Amino acid sequence: MIAYSALAAVYDALTGDVPYEQWAVFAQKAFAKAKKPVKLVLELACGTGSLTRLLGQAGYEMIACDLSADMLAVAREKCGELSCPPVFLCQDMCQLDLYGTIDAAVCCLDSINYLTELRQLKQAFARVSLFLEPGGLFLFDVKTPLAFEEMGGLSSVEELDEAFCAWQYGYDRKSHRAQHQVDVFLQEEDGTWSRNTEWHEQRAYTREQLEQALLQAGLRVRHAYGSPGGQRAGEQTRRLFFVAEKL
C-alpha cells in the first residue's frame, strides 16, 4: 500500500504532540531575515496541512503539495476556512512543477529523508531552486544518521479510540536506508476491524551530502540548527534544521 494512504485517516491523532507551532515560528523568523519580502510560500510534502494552515493564518499565500491524495484531502478540509485558501497540488517533489516563482519553500518532518536515492535528492533540490526567486529561502529538516541508528530494531504501538497502529523500525548502516512497517487497524461501522499495512522507506544523509546537493542546485546553506529554536547542531544532533538561500 502507498505510504500515507491508510495513515491519512488517523495521522493527526497520531501526531498531536508534533510541535508544528515551533516550526511555524522557525519559518517566520527566517522569512523576516530574507533579502526580499516573503509572501508566496510553497510547502513540500504538506501532509494533512497543519503547517500549511499555521502559515496561512500568519498571512502567507500558500501552495501545498504532497504525493498522497488521501493526505491532501484532509489538508483541503483543514485549510478550508482560511481567508486565502492554499493551492493544493498532488505532486512528487522530484517532479515539482509550478505556474510561477515563489518567495520561499518549506518541507518539515523529515520528508526529505523519503528521497532514498542521491539523484532524487539532487533532483528535488534542483526543482525547488528552479522556482525560487533569487534570494528566496528553502527551509527543511532531516533526521540524522544517528537518529536512524537509534530507531533501528525498535517497535511501538499507539492506541486511539477507533484505531491503533503498530510500527516496526529497521535500519541498515551499510546502505543508510531505513524501512518501517506500519500496520493500521481501523474499526469499521459494523464493529469489525480492518488491517492495512504500509511500508515506509527513508535514507539517512550526512550534513556534507545535503550541503553539496544544495550547492549543486544553486542553493547556499545559511544556517543548520539542531532545533527549530536555533540550538547549535553537534555530533549528537538527531534532527537538523536547514535554512538555504537561492544564489
Side-chain angles (χ1 to χ4, degrees):
M1 174 173 286
I2 297 175
Y4 294 105
S5 294
L7 269 175
V10 295
Y11 184 80
D12 284 343
L14 289 171
T15 57
D17 59 344
V18 172
Y20 288 108
E21 293 80 5
Q22 291 182 27
W23 227 106
V25 171
F26 166 63
Q28 291 178 75
K29 286 183 177 180
F31 296 163
K33 298 178 182 178
K35 292 180 179 179
K36 297 181 179 180
V38 175
K39 296 180 180 179
L40 181 58
V41 179
L42 165 72
E43 182 179 5
L44 293 169
C46 69
T48 60
S50 295
L51 181 60
T52 307
R53 182 174 61 179
L54 288 171
L55 293 178
Q57 289 172 340
Y60 298 98
E61 297 177 28
M62 299 297 299
I63 301 173
C65 76
D66 199 278
L67 188 58
S68 169
D70 297 286
M71 298 286 272
L72 283 173
V74 178
R76 286 192 184 94
E77 183 175 354
K78 183 182 295 184
C79 298
E81 296 182 0
L82 291 175
S83 57
C84 181
V87 174
F88 289 100
L89 303 173
C90 189
Q91 291 186 1
D92 184 328
M93 69 177 79
C94 293
Q95 278 83 47
L96 179 68
D97 191 14
L98 304 180
Y99 302 108
T101 58
I102 53 175
D103 302 316
V106 298
C107 186
C108 72
L109 300 187
D110 54 80
S111 296
I112 293 296
N113 290 114
Y114 277 92
L115 302 170
T116 57
E117 300 287 345
L118 187 57
R119 60 174 177 80
Q120 292 178 316
L121 180 74
K122 293 179 179 180
Q123 187 175 357
F125 285 174
R127 297 305 292 179
V128 171
S129 181
L130 176 64
F131 294 104
L132 267 179
E133 287 280 356
L137 299 182
F138 178 32
L139 281 59
F140 65 93
D141 67 58
V142 293
K143 284 190 293 194
T144 65
L146 175 62
F148 283 108
E149 289 180 12
E150 291 181 343
M151 291 175 62
L154 298 180
S155 60
S156 63
V157 175
E158 186 158 1
E159 297 185 42
L160 305 173
D161 290 339
E162 297 180 351
F164 66 92
C165 299
W167 300 73
Q168 299 179 64
Y169 303 95
Y171 180 64
D172 180 66
R173 295 186 64 182
K174 185 176 181 180
S175 65
H176 309 292
R177 293 175 183 270
Q179 193 172 63
H180 315 319
Q181 178 180 331
V182 187
D183 292 298
V184 183
F185 298 84
L186 301 173
Q187 188 171 25
E188 307 296 338
E189 293 183 358
D190 62 1
T192 60
W193 291 81
S194 63
R195 174 181 176 178
N196 297 280
T197 300
E198 298 183 2
W199 289 93
H200 295 240
E201 190 171 4
Q202 293 185 300
R203 177 173 172 175
Y205 291 100
T206 65
R207 178 171 174 174
E208 291 72 24
Q209 286 177 311
L210 293 162
E211 290 185 351
Q212 183 178 12
L214 287 166
L215 192 58
Q216 288 180 3
L219 298 162
R220 175 182 59 194
V221 175
R222 287 179 51 178
H223 303 286
Y225 300 113
S227 74
Q231 177 182 346
R232 183 177 179 180
E235 293 183 358
Q236 298 302 308
T237 296
R238 292 163 178 79
R239 189 179 293 269
L240 283 170
F241 293 78
F242 282 89
V243 178
E245 178 183 78
K246 170 82 174 282
L247 296 173

